[in-house]
Amino acid sequence: YNARKSQEHSATLASAFEQYCNTKLLQIAMAFELQRRLGPESNVTVTPVAPGMVNTNIPYGNRDKKLGMSNPLALNVKDGAQTTLHALFSKSIEGQTGYFLQPYWTPLHQSKPLGPLGLSVIFFEWLLQRVTWGCFLWISHPKTNQLTFQKQLWEESLQAVGLV
């Protein structure tokens, strides 16, 4: 057992989880900015989605990993797609803006991850995903509702992909 190597691995996992959370925040802010730019007269509702733990090979990047083998606690791809399909086709959320859609209830989005490496987050997300399955509209982190942050993110994203 190498304690130093274990600590480095733990820091890497914590960093990766924090990076994932930050990209989710950016996704939500970008969706809110798109909705704002479309304007109130648009018949399009932009709903960011957090699909929950779904068994995909996304965490493995370009590595050759078969679907269904990445996380035994996660939902299969078909079940995991239901939240996104709900966002696309449900009349119940049509016209509702300023929210993101998640398939289960959790109190964890309002605080820092509990426990080492956020492992408790993974456990609670798995448990709540099984027990409270449905579609829930969530109010996101206050940063996602700051217009200056949204506009800056929009402009920097356009620059990053060479559109301005």
Side-chain angles (χ1 to χ4, degrees):
Y1 177 76
N2 185 331
R4 183 175 179 186
K5 192 167 192 161
S6 178
Q7 287 175 335
E8 289 172 2
H9 181 68
S10 296
T12 302
L13 287 175
S15 175
F17 184 71
E18 184 176 350
Q19 185 178 13
Y20 168 80
C21 293
N22 287 336
T23 58
K24 187 57 68 179
L25 180 131
L26 295 173
Q27 174 216 3
I28 293 168
M30 185 66 99
F32 290 172
E33 177 64 9
L34 175 58
Q35 183 71 62
R36 189 187 67 74
R37 287 174 181 263
L38 290 171
E41 65 281 348
S42 173
N43 64 353
V44 174
T45 302
V46 180
T47 306
V49 174
M53 281 197 287
V54 180
N55 226 350
T56 69
N57 61 350
I58 291 171
Y60 299 98
N62 292 328
R63 289 183 264 162
D64 192 18
K65 187 85 170 171
K66 292 186 178 185
L67 286 174
M69 301 302 286
S70 59
N71 184 345
L73 301 177
L75 295 172
N76 65 54
V77 175
K78 182 180 177 185
D79 290 341
Q82 298 310 304
T83 309
T84 303
L85 294 172
H86 183 79
L88 286 169
F89 299 115
S90 176
K91 298 291 184 195
S92 68
I93 61 172
E94 198 171 285
Q96 296 191 49
T97 61
Y99 299 95
F100 74 95
L101 190 63
Q102 179 171 297
Y104 53 93
W105 182 88
T106 176
L108 301 174
H109 293 289
Q110 304 303 319
S111 62
K112 293 241 180 223
L114 309 169
L117 307 176
L119 291 177
S120 58
V121 170
I122 292 170
F123 171 75
F124 282 113
E125 296 245 341
W126 169 77
L127 178 65
L128 293 169
Q129 183 166 277
R130 297 291 191 278
V131 175
T132 65
W133 191 255
C135 283
F136 296 88
L137 288 174
W138 285 89
I139 297 172
S140 62
H141 188 281
K143 183 91 171 171
T144 62
N145 291 299
Q146 294 175 359
L147 292 178
T148 54
F149 177 69
Q150 292 173 356
K151 289 178 184 179
Q152 180 182 1
L153 175 61
W154 185 272
E155 295 302 322
E156 289 182 14
S157 297
L158 290 177
Q159 288 175 357
V161 296
L163 293 176
V164 290

